[in-house]
Amino acid sequence: MPVSASRSHDFSAGHRVHGHEGKCQHLHGHNYRVHFEVVPIDGALDGVGRVMDFGAIKVLCNFLEREWDHRLLIWVNDPWLPVLQQIDPQGVVMVPFNPTAERMAMFLVDNAGPVLLAGTGCRLAKVIIEETRKCSASFSL
Ligand SMILES: [Zn+2]
């Protein structure tokens, strides 16, 4: 197992899971906790002995604050999207995936991580999304 550094971040957001058989099809929200795990691309620590400074990992937390915190995450293919955008155009975030915890983790690893960590010598290797204190999903490369 390669060396890694992790940082977590809490944010609040609404969503609904299109096609869900139960109550998650309704508009509702969570106090999410996200764990980011970062690894050095070359597998080596820096001269100080770090994967990357914990403060620098915060760029991933800032993405959550800027893009998703206190917003409503709605899949671009969700038939409710046009109505919800009319009600709150600033509050609705159109995402290219049905916003389950699994898909959110995959999006962060596949799309946000490579952009946000470009040029740092590190990559986002794993994301864990806790939707509640009991339920979480993870994705890793
Ligand atoms: Zn939910």
Side-chain angles (χ1 to χ4, degrees):
M1 186 67 180
V3 66
S4 68
S6 299
R7 184 169 178 135
S8 63
H9 190 73
D10 296 337
F11 75 101
S12 303
H15 77 160
R16 85 173 192 116
V17 178
H18 178 59
H20 193 277
E21 309 80 4
K23 61 185 181 181
C24 292
Q25 68 184 285
H26 303 299
L27 294 174
H28 66 283
H30 299 281
N31 293 316
Y32 290 97
R33 175 161 290 168
V34 181
H35 303 266
F36 295 110
E37 186 174 335
V38 174
V39 299
I41 291 170
D42 64 4
L45 300 177
D46 70 12
V48 179
R50 302 165 297 191
V51 170
M52 88 188 276
D53 190 80
F54 290 120
I57 301 175
K58 201 173 176 189
V59 68
L60 299 165
C61 308
N62 292 341
F63 172 85
L64 297 176
E65 284 294 308
R66 188 176 65 245
E67 304 291 334
W68 290 357
D69 185 53
H70 283 73
R71 302 286 183 83
L72 180 61
L73 308 180
I74 298 293
W75 185 24
V76 66
N77 292 335
D78 190 316
W80 292 11
L81 177 65
V83 174
L84 294 168
Q85 279 182 316
Q86 268 192 335
I87 295 168
D88 187 0
Q90 306 295 319
V92 173
V93 177
M94 191 171 53
V95 291
F97 52 87
N98 206 16
T100 60
E102 292 87 338
R103 294 257 186 233
M104 291 164 71
M106 292 170 78
F107 177 82
L108 290 171
V109 170
D110 285 340
N111 297 86
V115 173
L116 296 166
L117 296 181
T120 64
C122 294
R123 66 180 179 85
L124 181 56
K126 182 177 182 179
V127 167
I128 302 168
I129 302 221
E130 294 180 33
E131 205 169 75
T132 68
R133 298 293 80 87
K134 296 178 186 173
C135 301
S136 65
S138 69
F139 181 70
S140 54
L141 286 176

